[in-house]
Amino acid sequence: MVLFRFRPDTGPVLTRTVLDRLAELPDHYPAMQRFGLGENASERDGSFSHAMTMEFASFDDLRAYLNSERHEALVRDWFAPNTAARAIASFDAP
């Protein structure tokens, strides 16, 4: 799970580009079983503007995704430079 907020100077076109690149992730990772991405609709906490969830069968599949060159490049070139804050949590759901 990733919660994030775009930088104030990230305009709508660049925001859409980053979101589109994130939405392409499942196309490149067959081990990704479920994927969700959307704007935060919470009426209780607006700390983050967006949320993204991913589900993998194992932590090994998650690690392979996290350590892949495509993921690293997306984070380095698009995600990190355009987000002001993020929170990331990984957990094993029964």
Side-chain angles (χ1 to χ4, degrees):
M1 176 184 309
V2 180
L3 304 171
F4 59 98
R5 171 176 80 245
F6 284 98
R7 292 168 40 117
D9 60 338
T10 302
V13 172
L14 188 51
T15 295
R16 182 79 259 154
T17 299
V18 173
L19 292 172
D20 288 347
R21 290 187 180 264
L22 291 171
E24 294 170 356
L25 287 171
D27 297 336
H28 302 284
Y29 298 97
M32 192 179 292
Q33 297 177 332
R34 295 178 69 185
F35 176 85
L37 174 65
E39 285 190 48
N40 181 4
S42 173
E43 295 178 1
R44 293 179 176 219
D45 189 347
S47 300
F48 298 99
S49 61
H50 291 77
M52 181 170 60
T53 59
M54 297 172 211
E55 187 174 309
F56 294 88
S58 69
F59 276 107
D60 287 339
D61 289 344
L62 171 61
R63 283 186 205 93
Y65 157 74
L66 291 173
N67 294 318
S68 70
E69 177 53 35
R70 180 179 296 274
H71 172 263
E72 291 294 326
L74 188 148
V75 170
R76 179 186 62 241
D77 299 338
W78 293 98
F79 190 74
N82 294 298
T83 54
R86 68 180 180 228
I88 300 169
S90 299
F91 58 95
D92 190 10

